[in-house]
Amino acid sequence: MKPLTTVDGVVLPLDRSNVDTDAIIPKQYLKSVKRTGFGPNLFDDWRYLEPGEPGMDHSGRKPNPDFVLNDPRYLGAEILLARKNFGCGSSREHAVWALTDYGIRVVIAPSFADIFFSNSFKNGLLPIVLDEVVVDRLFEEVAATPGYRLKVDLAGQTVTTPSGEAFDFEVGEFHKHCLLNGLDDIGLTLQHADEIGAYEERRRAEAPWLFR
Amino acid sequence: MTGKTLYDKLWDAHVVRSEADGTALLYIDRHLVHEVTSPQAFEGLRLAGRKPWRTDTVLAVPDHNVPTTHRDQGISDPVSRIQVETLDANVHEFGITFFPMNDVRQGIVHVIGPEQGATLPGMTVVCGDSHTSTHGAFGALAFGIGTSEVEHVLATQCLLQKKMKNMLVSVDGKAGPGVTAKDIVLAVIGEIGTAGGTGYAIEFGGEAIRDLSMEGRMTVCNMAIEAGARAGMVAVDDTTIEYVKGRTYAPSGELWDKAVAAWRELHSDADARFDQVVRIDAASIAPQVSWGTSPEMVAPVTGRVPDPAEATDPVKASGMKRALEYMGLEPNTPIEQIYIDKVFIGSCTNSRIEDLRAAAAVVRGRRVAENVKLAMVVPGSGLVKRQAEEEGLDKVFLEAGFEWREPGCSMCLAMNADRLEPGERCASTSNRNFEGRQGQGGRTHLVSPAMAAVAAVSGHFADVRTVTPSGG
């Protein structure tokens, strides 16, 4: 996993609540057996005017000019600003892969759905929860300021606006450690293989029907 | 010392070790696998040269991509076929129990786990699928995980988790006639919202939940995720134990007695403390119909499509307006005046034998309405299909003009050939009414199986309580 320490990037505002994982990456693209290549299909139903299927040349499809992602002003965005309950719905990690493949490294929202939130950390995507009032303000600032950027510092746990105003955010110690260092948590868990084995021995005695 | 909730008990029994920040290594007893969220996990194992920790806990089945017609001809969509073939190759390479497409035991992963007794009370159950919450109906801790976590469980038999908070949703008193598990859970979601359960494990209790069959409890827990909760659960009682007894992977003999004794403890203690309690009067719940593009957008069948102009929160009002535009509905339209194009009875929410019986009871002796282009029944598994055929339900549906299909996820998410065309309106027993969920531009109304059946024969939504079963 690619480490994430600081991001200084253009902010893409997606002013809708309850953005679900079906909207982030529609089902037809889940047929892929790979982790990469989902970027061109991020928000596919909203982004293009005609329906898409896996395997087609998406660069030739007609973009929906009314969808914010197609506004040249937000080209190359690395920070997505969203509303509450972002990532609700299915557990598909493809939603996170589509965001990261497109180039998004941070999502800021007042709240996230649980599975999306934990999937993000496994893929170097940082979900940041900020107060609804702060998020409202950021939406206003983005709208008012072409080229609006935010600075995200994971070690210091701050989001800083162009005017220098900084907002603190919470992140679990373990998640932070893994993101900062780009660590694969399977390797970390396997360091405790003896403890897993000991648990199994204890459990086998208590609940032998689980070990047959 | 205060007592423990059911969730506390399940959690405590599975903690292998805890970190200072509260992250725990949680042991997983059952890992269900399907073709969509597993290929990258198996690939990850291969690339890292890792072996699965305990293959005997894993059960794999293809369900999302499988066709529901002409199975003998295989899968015509090459991309879907590759995904199913990839699962086939992976389970053989790693030595995992597998029910292939043409096995009678094949079906939707959340139907076959319980059906086989692979889901047992007291277990931790995971699957790369958000509707894994279904299995919580057995007094199990069951939740959906992402593909990285699928790989983590395969490699270590554990997951890194933080404990969730406890919520009790108590549905008190008796539900009225015609009000099913689906109506109960839709009403709960309407009440607490799609993010109401975020960060919580929900225990469903109260008389109306206790009165439900295991099929009904699975329907309720299935949609816990639609209320934002990763896990939903119901305490173990006689209904649970009766259901599990004699199933293929359930213990037997002395082990059975020992297991039952342990399972009897799987309920919240009388003095357990919940972080939040929601009480709903079952008698106040009418059959539900969703009108929007989020499962919290529901109304009683006797009600009307709401008016965004009456919403006080501007973000909520714009969400409602957008939803009505997408759904092609005018505010204040009576729900019973919404006409439909298609009917889908199936999905991990409502494709079990009891669901098919409830729909057949309404359909018997009637015909699908003229304006309905397609009405289909997709049983949850090959065994559900066989049981229904033994009871003659297939004939009831076929005679009424329904199609009787092969088992799979089908038009719940339209990964296979079954889908809505743009603008088509569907009465669906599935779980999500998101934009494009059943096909790009498709319009989904979530209902119970009986309500879907009434809509099929009426051509529009109608109150199942006003329809009397006809014939035997």
Side-chain angles (χ1 to χ4, degrees), chain B residues 32-99:
Chain B
L32 303 166
V33 168
H34 66 66
E35 79 277 18
V36 180
T37 53
S38 65
Q40 299 87 351
F42 285 113
E43 181 68 8
L45 285 187
R46 259 192 300 273
L47 289 173
R50 289 175 174 137
K51 294 261 168 276
W53 184 280
R54 240 188 96 188
T55 49
D56 63 314
T57 63
V58 189
L59 177 60
V61 69
D63 56 5
H64 285 59
N65 279 280
V66 297
T68 58
T69 54
H70 307 295
R71 285 265 168 99
D72 50 323
Q73 294 167 20
I75 303 175
S76 58
D77 173 358
V79 193
S80 286
R81 191 173 61 236
I82 288 170
Q83 199 164 51
V84 172
E85 286 169 357
T86 304
L87 178 64
D88 193 85
N90 283 329
V91 296
H92 286 100
E93 177 182 342
F94 291 102
I96 286 166
T97 307
F98 178 56
F99 298 161

Side-chain angles (χ1 to χ4, degrees), chain B residues 314-430:
Chain B
V315 176
K316 194 170 177 190
S318 82
M320 286 169 73
K321 204 161 156 266
R322 191 184 153 78
L324 291 184
E325 244 164 61
Y326 180 86
M327 293 297 289
L329 290 173
E330 291 299 321
N332 301 312
T333 306
I335 297 289
E336 294 196 271
Q337 283 176 23
I338 300 174
Y339 282 75
I340 54 163
D341 303 303
K342 287 184 174 171
V343 177
F344 172 61
I345 297 176
S347 87
C348 58
T349 313
N350 281 128
S351 64
R352 298 178 181 85
I353 189 66
E354 183 184 280
D355 300 317
L356 305 192
R357 286 176 189 147
V362 171
V363 165
R364 196 181 298 272
R366 294 191 167 91
R367 290 282 310 166
V368 170
E370 289 280 320
N371 61 303
V372 175
K373 291 185 260 185
L374 171 73
M376 61 196 286
V377 182
V378 183
S381 72
L383 291 170
V384 168
K385 182 170 185 253
R386 189 162 79 184
Q387 170 78 28
E389 287 170 353
E390 280 168 13
E391 296 178 18
L393 304 185
D394 56 328
K395 292 199 177 58
V396 173
F397 287 116
L398 287 166
E399 280 164 14
F402 276 82
E403 294 191 11
W404 180 248
R405 299 288 189 90
E406 301 293 334
C409 300
S410 180
M411 208 164 74
C412 172
L413 87 167
M415 271 191 82
N416 69 352
D418 309 333
R419 64 186 67 171
L420 297 180
E421 296 303 321
E424 281 184 341
R425 191 179 295 288
C426 182
S428 178
T429 66
S430 55

